[in-house]
Amino acid sequence: QQQVKQSPQSLIVQKGGISIINCAYENTAFDYFPWYQQFPGKGPALLIAIRPDVSEKKEGRFTISFNKSAKQFSLHIMDSQPGDSATYFCAASMQGGSEKLVFGKGMKLTVNP
Amino acid sequence: GAGVSQSPSNKVTEKGKDVELRCDPISGHTALYWYRQSLGQGLEFLIYFQGNSAPDKSGLPSDRFSAERTGGSVSTLTIQRTQQEDSAVYLCASSSRTGLLSYEQYFGPGTRLTVT
């Protein structure tokens, strides 16, 4: 049972374009939704995160949109740059207990110059 | 400040051998996590430590896998009698578990394990 489903699996955009990555979750007990960025040979790096009490959070060129009723959240990368080319993972966890992260399968983003 | 560090960065071992992977969390972080990243399974949780205790071991795939944490800091993940399916990148993460940033987990660079 895949608790967090991520799409698409890969995406190619042109420099300056908008990259959109979508995730859906099943467990309504999840209350923390981070996005991680991973470059080859490196560990995942926390990019931005949101909690269900807000519908949108923006940090620089990165925006998370959250739809609690649909159990979906998405990452928008504005003005995509070649340096954004990486694998992006959405994740979810719940307060209390281990707060372990449940990850989506990841999406490989390629931004062409 | 220093981030999460892991050693070795790469490990090649023969099937049937035991291996130990080390994680040094961010100083002061009480929570420590081990995850495994493989092509087929993505990123999977293995075990969680709060201090030196491991209240959640639910992700360990078999009894060949064990982990410990000492002094509320360094952790070691041990895999006994390694199998080829153990080949993966083993990632460690730590979290402060205090205040508003209690959820944020910071990952190390990982140890790439190859079992031949």
Side-chain angles (χ1 to χ4, degrees), chain A residues 3 93-102, chain B residues 31-35 44-61 65-68 75 77 97 105:
Chain A
Q3 294 194 62
S93 71
M94 64 185 80
Q95 186 177 14
S98 67
E99 297 180 0
K100 62 190 175 188
L101 291 168
V102 178
Chain B
L32 186 148
Y33 302 80
W34 283 98
Y35 293 85
E44 302 174 292
F45 165 80
L46 295 177
I47 187 169
Y48 156 69
F49 286 92
Q50 180 59 38
N52 293 335
S53 300
D56 189 349
K57 307 178 182 179
S58 62
L60 294 178
F65 288 72
S66 64
E68 66 174 9
S75 177
L77 177 69
R97 291 298 293 262
Q105 294 184 27

Side-chain angles (χ1 to χ4, degrees), chain B residues 1-47:
Chain B
V4 178
S5 61
Q6 293 186 245
S7 61
S9 55
N10 283 283
K11 177 72 176 179
V12 180
T13 190
E14 293 180 351
K15 177 182 174 181
K17 299 286 189 181
D18 297 353
V19 295
E20 286 188 352
L21 312 179
R22 175 186 169 108
C23 171
D24 283 88
I26 293 172
S27 178
H29 279 193
T30 59
L32 186 148
Y33 302 80
W34 283 98
Y35 293 85
R36 179 169 71 174
Q37 184 172 26
S38 56
L39 282 175
Q41 300 300 321
L43 273 155
E44 302 174 292
F45 165 80
L46 295 177
I47 187 169

